[in-house]
């Protein structure tokens, strides 16, 4: 499971994977405006206090100690889905093409 120490690498993967995946699909200026530092700060906040974010857990995929992808899951945000016994949800899956 990821820790706050992983936030910088997770932020970098988050932005790089968006740029790889959405190039040509989203406006380039939007992709250029993404900030790895901003995403890292957001993930550090989540990783520092997961219970504040609906029990969010973040897991990383590594190769040779380098984070190449990550996923986040936690409690279900949608009340209608909770009523249908869907207690959790996957909130993010990002992986580098490499």
């Amino acid at each position: 499971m990821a820790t706050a120490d992983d936030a910088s690498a997770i932020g970098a993967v988050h932005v790089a994977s968006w740029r790889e995946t959405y190039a040509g699909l989203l406006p380039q200026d939007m992709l250029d405006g993404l900030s790895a530092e901003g995403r890292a700060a957001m993930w550090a906040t989540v990783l520092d206090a997961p219970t504040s974010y609906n029990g969010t857990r973040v897991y990383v995929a590594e190769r040779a100690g380098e984070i190449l992808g990550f996923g986040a899951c936690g409690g279900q945000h949608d009340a209608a889905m909770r009523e249908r016994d869907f207690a959790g949800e996957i909130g993010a899956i990002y992986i580098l093409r490499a």
Side-chain angles (χ1 to χ4, degrees):
M1 191 161 53
T3 68
D5 290 340
D6 297 315
S8 180
I10 291 170
V13 167
H14 194 161
V15 170
S17 65
W18 263 68
R19 288 179 176 155
E20 288 178 353
T21 303
Y22 298 116
L25 298 172
L26 293 176
Q28 190 60 45
D29 60 332
M30 178 185 167
L31 296 174
D32 291 342
L34 296 173
S35 163
E37 294 79 12
R39 291 284 89 192
M42 186 276 300
W43 285 111
T45 301
V46 170
L47 291 165
D48 277 338
T51 57
S52 297
Y53 293 90
N54 210 20
T56 298
R57 302 262 194 264
V58 180
Y59 298 89
V60 296
E62 297 177 300
R63 180 174 54 201
E66 180 182 357
I67 294 176
L68 302 176
F70 70 95
C73 59
Q76 181 58 251
H77 287 87
D78 187 290
M81 295 298 285
R82 283 193 307 271
E83 290 173 10
R84 296 180 64 204
D85 293 326
F86 289 93
E89 66 182 32
I90 297 170
I93 299 176
Y94 294 95
I95 190 160
L96 297 176
R97 203 175 286 152

